Amino acid sequence: MTIRQAAKVVDAQFVCHEDLADKEVKTACGSDMMSDVMAFYHDGGILLTGLMNIQVIRTASLMDIDCVCFVRGKEPNEEMLALAQEDNIVVIKT
């Protein structure tokens, strides 16, 4: 499945790096605890979270996560988007 297809499934909008949306993803992880993501997540994929801080993007970068999906109407701030842009992480929101 591509990031674009996954975004359609969860009815999400692209916020950052829609140009990378055709990248294939194999896994997904849903968590608001970055320690859980670091302990259990494997391979490039999508992180679904309601946590709103810069550590989400830093964790995604560290764990080679291709896309972060912010859920429950959460809006990433400018600092988060700048880091996602720099690290080529697709950001979507539901």
Side-chain angles (χ1 to χ4, degrees), residues 18-34:
E18 187 171 359
D19 57 313
L20 302 175
D22 294 318
K23 186 171 187 172
E24 290 284 328
V25 290
K26 300 175 189 172
T27 61
C29 175
S31 183
D32 288 343
M33 294 184 63
M34 295 302 99

Side-chain angles (χ1 to χ4, degrees), residues 16 23 25 31-34 38 47 50 54 56 59 61-62 64-66 68-69 71 76 80 82-83 87 89 91 94:
C16 177
K23 186 171 187 172
V25 290
S31 183
D32 288 343
M33 294 184 63
M34 295 302 99
M38 294 181 76
L47 169 62
I54 194 70
V56 173
T59 301
S61 182
L62 180 68
D64 294 324
I65 293 171
D66 297 317
V68 174
C69 177
V71 298
M80 295 164 72
L83 186 57
D87 290 348
I89 297 169
V91 175
T94 60

Side-chain angles (χ1 to χ4, degrees), residues 2-3 11 14 17 20 33-34 37 44 49 51-52 58-59 70 77 85-86 88 94:
T2 66
I3 294 171
D11 195 26
F14 284 87
H17 272 307
L20 302 175
M33 294 184 63
M34 295 302 99
V37 173
T49 188
L51 185 63
M52 295 304 299
R58 288 188 177 129
T59 301
F70 291 102
N77 65 34
Q85 186 75 28
E86 182 180 312
N88 289 323
T94 60

